[in-house]
């Protein structure tokens, strides 16, 4: 299998974000009482290219309120999307220069909500979905540097629920904002309130809304001491409603609520910085916080984390979890009493952070800790049999004329209209037809050539939103949020 050239070539081309006109810091930001900036039609970070095509007649559309979409499963019910990706990529509607961080945008009601770090401020901004025009922004100062030299910005994307937007910053600031105005409604400093320990890469999991609750993997102290591993807050006030204390720390997998055995069950795949390493899956009655069961599943490696979201399997009786360092994957079977037991183990399926997707009794995703060792896989959900492994690839010409073969590597999948949209780690985009019989690349394009394209794509009303986190080696463009016209005819 062809592989790409050494990463330093890209890292040299993807330098740190250069100075640009700053966003406006607001008075009172430290106390959470920020006043939103007015929309600025002369926004120097925004480039508008062209209006998108009209929505096709009869097209079904949906919001994208959280980083894995309306069903929290990397799927969308949208229809009449672009059937083939043009060789040069879909047409760009607008793009906006971004700061640090790995957050995916949320889209709801014709607005895009984006969370990133601009200079020294974590910033939440609202933009009009079809034009990119700034509606409001709020920010607050943070002090954070990454232990391993990765981005100092937020990892978790915004969560939209009704008239509110929730963010979880890299330093552990959990905040609620007015969707209409950007006014700060409440905030909780998880470090101060729960003595949250700094993770290897800062705080990373997004919260999940369930009824009147906002459920967060706050994190215990690891093997050293018990802490507030999972906390449910009143989503309107930020008041603590229930809490579960445990050794397991905050992971980089976000909590998920699924209907299991007829109950709303909160699934929290915990496990962060600790020595010795501890972590695994916690299962709760979502409304009450009653623990149903816990299943230890963590690599026997101090420098490891759990990062891939748990995957509930159709039927409401099984959950698939996976980590990429030593243990791989395991399928858990839930009994009537809420207890789980392993149905089988899948040691060769080690998902790093990319959420696997279920389709027609099979699980698709990327296994592998590193970009050079990753593979796209198909796993039979009932038995654990690996049907195949493969890797989408793209041939790309860099600005120096050099030809390179760029794989999807640790890519992201989005299931739409029965096919998989795949965003590769280096900026490639594919339509893939995946089945137990194999992989077919139906169309593809290199959108840009930049490493760390780790945020999954988002789609709403036929517009595709992709985040470029490093400088593009093809166009030399800085990190940006890009809106593509993905509407079909």
């Amino acid at each position: 299998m062809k592989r790409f050239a050494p990463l330093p070539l890209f890292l040299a081309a993807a330098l740190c974000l250069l100075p640009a006109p700053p966003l406006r810091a607001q008075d009172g930001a430290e106390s959470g009482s920020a006043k939103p900036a007015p929309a600025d039609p002369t926004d120097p970070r925004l480039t508008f290219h062209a209006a998108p095509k009209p929505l096709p007649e009869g097209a079904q559309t949906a919001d994208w309120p959280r980083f894995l979409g309306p069903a929290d499963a990397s799927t969308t019910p949208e229809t009449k999307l672009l059937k083939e990706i043009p060789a040069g990529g879909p047409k760009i509607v607008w793009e906006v220069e971004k700061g640090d961080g790995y957050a995916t945008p949320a889209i709801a009601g014709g607005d895009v909500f984006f969370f990133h770090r601009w200079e020294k401020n974590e910033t939440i901004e609202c933009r009009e979905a079809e034009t990119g025009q700034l509606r409001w922004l709020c920010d607050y100062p943070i002090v954070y540097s990454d232990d391993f030299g990765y981005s100092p910005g937020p990892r978790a994307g915004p969560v939209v629920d009704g008239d509110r937007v929730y963010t979880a910053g890299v330093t552990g600031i959990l905040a609620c904002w007015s969707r209409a105005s950007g006014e700060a409604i409440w905030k909780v400093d998880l470090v101060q309130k729960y003595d949250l320990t700094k993770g290897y890469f800062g705080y990373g999991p997004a919260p999940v809304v369930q009824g009147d609750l906002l459920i967060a993997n706050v994190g215990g102290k690891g093997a050293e001491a018990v802490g507030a591993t999972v906390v449910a807050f009143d989503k309107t006030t930020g008041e603590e409603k229930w809490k579960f204390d445990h050794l397991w720390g905050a992971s980089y997998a976000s909590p998920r609520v699924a209907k299991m055995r007829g109950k709303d069950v909160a699934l929290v795949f915990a496990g962060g910085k600790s020595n010795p390493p501890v972590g695994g899956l916690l299962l709760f009655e979502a409304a009450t916080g009653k623990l149903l069961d816990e299943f230890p599943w963590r690599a026997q490696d101090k420098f490891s984390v759990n990062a891939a979201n748990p995957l509930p399997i159709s039927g409401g009786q099984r959950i698939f979890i996976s980590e990429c360092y030593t243990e791989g994957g395991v399928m858990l079977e839930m009994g009537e009493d809420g207890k789980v037991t392993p149905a089988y183990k899948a040691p060769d399926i080690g998902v790093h952070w990319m959420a696997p997707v279920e389709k027609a009794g099979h699980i698709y995703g990327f296994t592998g800790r590193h970009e050079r060792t990753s593979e796209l896989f198909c796993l039979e959900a009932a038995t654990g049999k690996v049907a195949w492994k493969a890797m989408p690839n793209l041939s790309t010409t860099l600005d120096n004329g050099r030809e390179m073969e760029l794989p999807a590597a640790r890519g992201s999948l989005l299931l739409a209209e029965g096919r998989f949209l795949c965003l590769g780690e280096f900026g490639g985009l594919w339509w893939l037809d995946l089945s137990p019989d194999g992989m077919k690349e139906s169309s593809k394009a290199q959108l840009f050539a930049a490493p760390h394209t780790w945020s999954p794509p988002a789609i709403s009303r036929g517009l595709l939103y992709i985040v470029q986190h490093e400088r593009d080696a093809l166009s030399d463009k800085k990190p940006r949020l890009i809106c593509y016209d993905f509407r079909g005819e």
Side-chain angles (χ1 to χ4, degrees):
M1 181 184 297
K2 293 183 179 180
R3 294 294 185 186
F4 50 90
L7 270 180
L9 172 66
F10 284 100
L11 296 177
L15 302 176
C16 296
L17 182 65
L18 297 178
L23 300 178
R24 278 172 282 193
Q26 308 302 319
D27 294 336
E30 273 190 275
S31 65
S33 59
K35 297 295 182 182
D40 184 358
T42 63
D43 181 357
R45 296 165 47 226
L46 175 68
T47 301
F48 180 79
H49 292 271
K53 298 186 294 288
L55 274 168
E57 185 178 351
Q60 183 175 340
T61 64
D63 287 341
W64 192 272
R66 195 165 179 262
F67 86 110
L68 292 183
D72 210 7
S74 297
T75 63
T76 179
E78 298 232 341
T79 61
K80 300 195 176 183
L81 300 172
L82 195 66
K83 293 186 180 301
E84 300 294 328
I85 301 171
K91 291 183 178 179
I92 297 178
V93 179
W94 56 266
E95 58 186 279
V96 64
E97 186 182 344
K98 68 175 285 287
D100 293 308
Y102 301 117
T104 294
I107 306 99
D111 289 327
V112 177
F113 301 89
F114 190 54
F115 192 39
H116 60 128
R117 174 176 174 168
W118 189 270
E119 297 180 342
K120 297 181 180 180
N121 298 310
E122 272 191 333
T123 302
I124 174 71
E125 57 186 71
C126 173
R127 293 181 176 271
E128 203 279 325
E130 294 203 1
T131 66
Q133 182 176 346
L134 184 65
R135 293 198 189 277
W136 55 257
L137 70 85
C138 282
D139 55 13
Y140 54 87
I142 63 166
V143 177
Y144 172 80
S145 60
D146 194 80
D147 291 348
F148 291 84
Y150 290 102
S151 172
R155 275 76 174 134
V159 177
V160 183
D161 178 68
D163 60 357
R164 304 191 178 201
V165 182
Y166 301 92
T167 57
V170 72
T171 64
I173 301 295
L174 184 65
C176 173
W177 312 87
S178 165
R179 175 173 160 179
S181 67
E183 294 281 353
I185 298 172
W186 59 259
K187 77 167 185 175
V188 176
D189 186 328
L190 301 179
V191 173
Q192 292 183 4
K193 186 173 179 64
Y194 298 105
D195 195 22
L196 174 67
T197 300
K198 179 184 177 184
Y200 287 123
F201 312 103
Y203 186 74
V208 63
V209 174
Q210 174 63 19
D212 294 331
L213 300 177
L214 185 73
I215 301 173
N217 179 196
V218 173
K221 306 290 183 189
E224 292 78 22
V226 168
T229 292
V230 184
V231 180
F233 301 90
D234 184 310
K235 70 179 183 181
T236 61
T237 67
E239 176 189 357
E240 180 186 301
K241 302 302 288 185
W242 61 256
K243 177 168 68 80
F244 178 75
D245 293 329
H246 201 281
L247 290 172
W248 295 352
S251 71
Y252 293 88
S254 297
R256 184 169 179 183
V257 176
K259 190 72 74 175
M260 306 291 300
R261 293 285 187 180
K263 300 178 181 179
D264 288 326
V265 177
L267 306 171
V268 181
F269 191 30
K273 185 176 183 179
S274 65
N275 186 23
V278 292
L281 184 68
L282 297 166
L283 302 93
F284 304 90
E285 286 186 355
T288 67
K290 176 185 175 182
L291 181 69
L292 298 173
D293 204 2
E294 60 182 74
F295 183 82
W297 194 256
R298 178 70 189 276
Q300 300 308 302
D301 182 343
K302 166 184 168 181
F303 296 106
S304 70
V305 294
N306 288 334
N309 277 28
L311 176 65
I313 302 301
S314 299
Q317 297 180 24
R318 286 186 166 192
I319 312 113
F320 183 75
I321 57 174
S322 181
E323 66 79 41
C324 71
Y325 297 83
T326 63
E327 306 305 300
V330 60
M331 182 68 78
L332 301 177
E333 181 89 27
M334 176 186 277
E336 293 286 356
D337 59 358
K339 305 297 183 183
V340 295
T341 55
Y344 58 80
K345 295 182 180 180
D348 293 334
I349 303 299
V351 180
H352 204 163
W353 63 78
M354 310 72 64
V357 183
E358 181 195 9
K359 178 193 173 188
H362 289 77
I363 300 171
Y364 300 91
F366 287 89
T367 178
R369 179 177 175 183
H370 301 293
E371 60 273 4
R372 290 176 176 82
T373 59
S374 59
E375 293 177 289
L376 177 62
F377 69 86
C378 172
L379 179 77
E380 188 175 59
T383 66
K385 176 184 176 182
V386 178
W388 51 260
K389 292 181 179 179
M391 178 55 68
N393 279 280
L394 266 164
S395 181
T396 302
T397 303
L398 300 182
D399 55 2
N400 62 6
R402 182 177 178 182
E403 289 283 337
M404 295 192 70
E405 192 81 6
L406 295 179
R410 295 167 296 183
S412 299
L413 296 177
L414 194 167
L415 180 60
E417 296 192 289
R419 298 194 294 167
F420 287 87
L421 194 63
C422 173
L423 176 63
E425 186 171 358
F426 300 100
L429 186 69
W430 289 260
W431 264 128
L432 299 176
D433 295 316
L434 305 181
S435 75
D437 296 327
M439 175 191 78
K440 178 185 176 184
E441 301 179 10
S442 62
S443 58
K444 54 188 176 181
Q446 192 73 43
L447 304 180
F448 46 82
H452 301 175
T453 306
W454 293 337
S455 300
I459 196 163
S460 179
R461 293 184 59 80
L463 300 180
L464 177 67
Y465 301 86
I466 289 176
V467 189
Q468 173 198 319
H469 294 303
E470 302 285 350
R471 191 181 288 275
D472 180 13
L474 300 179
S475 69
D476 202 38
K477 287 195 173 184
K478 299 173 185 178
R480 53 193 169 142
L481 167 62
I482 312 167
C483 172
Y484 294 94
D485 185 355
F486 216 66
R487 294 170 177 173
E489 298 299 333

